[in-house]
Amino acid sequence: MLDAVIISIFVLALAGVGYEAIDLAPPDVLNQVTNIEAVRLIIASFGAIIGLALGLTAQTTYRRLEATVRSLPIETILTRAIGWVLGLLLANLMLAPIFLLPIPQEFSLVKPLSAVLVSVMFSFLGVSLADTHGRTFLRLINPSSIETLLIAEGTLQAAITKILDTSCIIDGRIEELLATGFIEGQILIPQFVLQELQLLADSSNDQKRLRGRRGLDILNRMQAAFPEQLVINPTDYDDIPTVDAKLVRFSQEINGTLLTNDYNLSKVANLQKVAVLNVNDLAQAIRPIYLPGDTLDLKILKQGKEPEQGVGYLEDGTMVVVEEGSEHLGDELQVVVTSALQTSAGRMIFAKPYVSIMAS
């Protein structure tokens, strides 16, 4: 909408200038024109075309400037704004004596040119000083805060806002992560994610209805446990049809991190330069690594491919093949890891009963 307004302003302005420009022509030239209105429309059309080109340039420049500002830390924006205002203030104080000087009429342009030149110079000087000494300025504002001081010095970075998607809420592991304190910073749940959960909870399909209600229950518990960290955001995009596309757009606009366990959404978000935290990747990364010689307690649930083998499973679903374990079916025993194998289907661990190893 804003892009259309910017372009329209330029088109209308240049078209209006072109329409009125014929009045600036000398009277003898106007007398030779048989149809002044037609000439007005032609010049206005050319003006509209030039305005369209200038409007597109202005719109592109504005979007680039907007993207640059969004990527800047808030402390940088704050200090630069203050430096810019102080630069303009100092420029106006220096220009006051110049405007009081008796300047001849022939040199009347000196005053406006001096005002523009000095204002631009001191504006850039103020921004440059803010970039150089902005951290010290922030330290002076709140010297008692260690966190503010560390952020000002660049030692400590502010926590990035996280955005929860529907699948991550329904999965439920995010609730445990919040309880452990490993997820820090503000967590946003967009309004369109809540609407999707509600649609699932009202679905005629039993599985979808259970998933939706589970997600709403988990969300209620998290909001009760972490009221300051968890925030419902009313942002929505009527022009975007899918929830995944809305999540990517929202993450881009606030420069946040997307929390999900959806593989496809993670890939799409990465392609669009959105930071992603995938809960499944985290679970995979913190799986315990068992080396040969490590012991673990395991319940033998079934017989393996070989007659003497028994099979059990770890809490994360990893299959453990126990040599000489078939005679312990249904029993829980201590086993010693002998080797591990990574296959396309996952990880497999081979072990032997601790008793048999001690006997040998």
Side-chain angles (χ1 to χ4, degrees), residues 15 73 88 94 129 132 135 204 213 231-232 276 301 305-307 329 344 356 358:
L88 287 177
M94 293 187 65
L129 288 174
T132 306
R135 293 174 181 173
S204 58
R213 290 178 179 177
V231 177
I232 307 296
V276 177
L301 298 176
K305 291 184 178 181
E306 301 296 330
L329 284 178
S344 58
S356 60
M358 292 296 294

Side-chain angles (χ1 to χ4, degrees), residues 73-315:
I74 186 62
E75 60 268 15
T76 302
I77 297 174
L78 177 63
T79 54
R80 284 185 178 181
I82 295 174
W84 178 61
V85 171
L86 291 177
L88 287 177
L89 180 61
L90 186 59
N92 279 275
L93 291 175
M94 293 187 65
L95 287 169
I98 297 177
F99 284 104
L100 296 176
L101 293 175
I103 298 177
Q105 187 67 28
E106 295 81 6
F107 301 100
S108 59
L109 283 176
V110 170
K111 289 184 178 180
L113 288 177
S114 300
V116 172
L117 180 61
V118 174
S119 297
V120 170
M121 288 177 59
F122 276 84
S123 295
F124 276 102
L125 178 62
V127 173
S128 178
L129 288 174
D131 287 341
T132 306
H133 302 290
R135 293 174 181 173
T136 305
F137 176 74
L138 289 178
R139 188 185 307 167
L140 292 174
I141 293 177
N142 190 5
S144 61
S145 172
I146 297 178
E147 183 179 3
T148 302
L149 186 132
L150 291 176
I151 291 176
E153 291 179 348
T155 306
L156 180 66
Q157 295 293 329
I160 299 175
T161 301
K162 316 296 189 303
I163 301 103
L164 278 181
D165 82 329
T166 312
S167 62
C168 193
I169 296 173
I170 296 174
D171 178 79
R173 287 178 291 181
I174 186 64
E175 183 180 7
E176 298 178 7
L177 282 174
L178 281 174
T180 59
F182 278 100
I183 301 295
E184 59 181 7
Q186 193 174 57
I187 296 177
L188 299 183
I189 295 94
Q191 187 66 37
F192 51 84
V193 170
L194 277 181
Q195 291 173 357
E196 187 180 32
L197 282 173
Q198 185 176 357
L199 287 175
L200 288 173
D202 295 337
S203 174
S204 58
N205 185 290
D206 292 340
Q207 290 185 348
K208 290 183 178 180
R209 186 167 61 251
L210 288 174
R211 285 170 55 83
R213 290 178 179 177
R214 169 182 164 82
L216 291 174
D217 291 339
I218 292 172
L219 200 55
N220 284 326
R221 290 200 301 269
M222 288 195 300
Q223 195 170 32
F226 313 99
E228 296 182 358
Q229 190 175 5
L230 210 67
V231 177
I232 307 296
N233 189 280
T235 302
D236 202 350
Y237 305 97
D238 295 332
D239 57 327
I240 301 177
T242 63
V243 174
D244 287 357
K246 290 180 180 182
L247 281 166
V248 173
R249 173 75 172 275
F250 184 56
S251 302
Q252 288 175 328
E253 288 191 351
I254 69 169
N255 197 26
T257 298
L258 183 59
L259 264 172
T260 182
N261 61 359
D262 189 324
Y263 176 82
N264 293 326
L265 177 57
S266 298
K267 292 299 180 184
V268 171
N270 284 326
L271 287 173
Q272 300 189 50
K273 309 301 180 184
V274 173
V276 177
L277 290 177
N278 194 311
V279 178
N280 289 334
D281 292 341
L282 175 63
Q284 187 72 19
I286 62 175
R287 291 172 64 184
I289 298 175
Y290 293 102
L291 300 175
D294 291 344
T295 60
L296 52 95
D297 295 325
L298 185 73
K299 185 175 183 178
I300 308 299
L301 298 176
K302 62 180 182 178
Q303 191 169 0
K305 291 184 178 181
E306 301 296 330
E308 71 279 2
Q309 289 179 343
V311 175
Y313 295 91
L314 301 178
E315 291 183 359

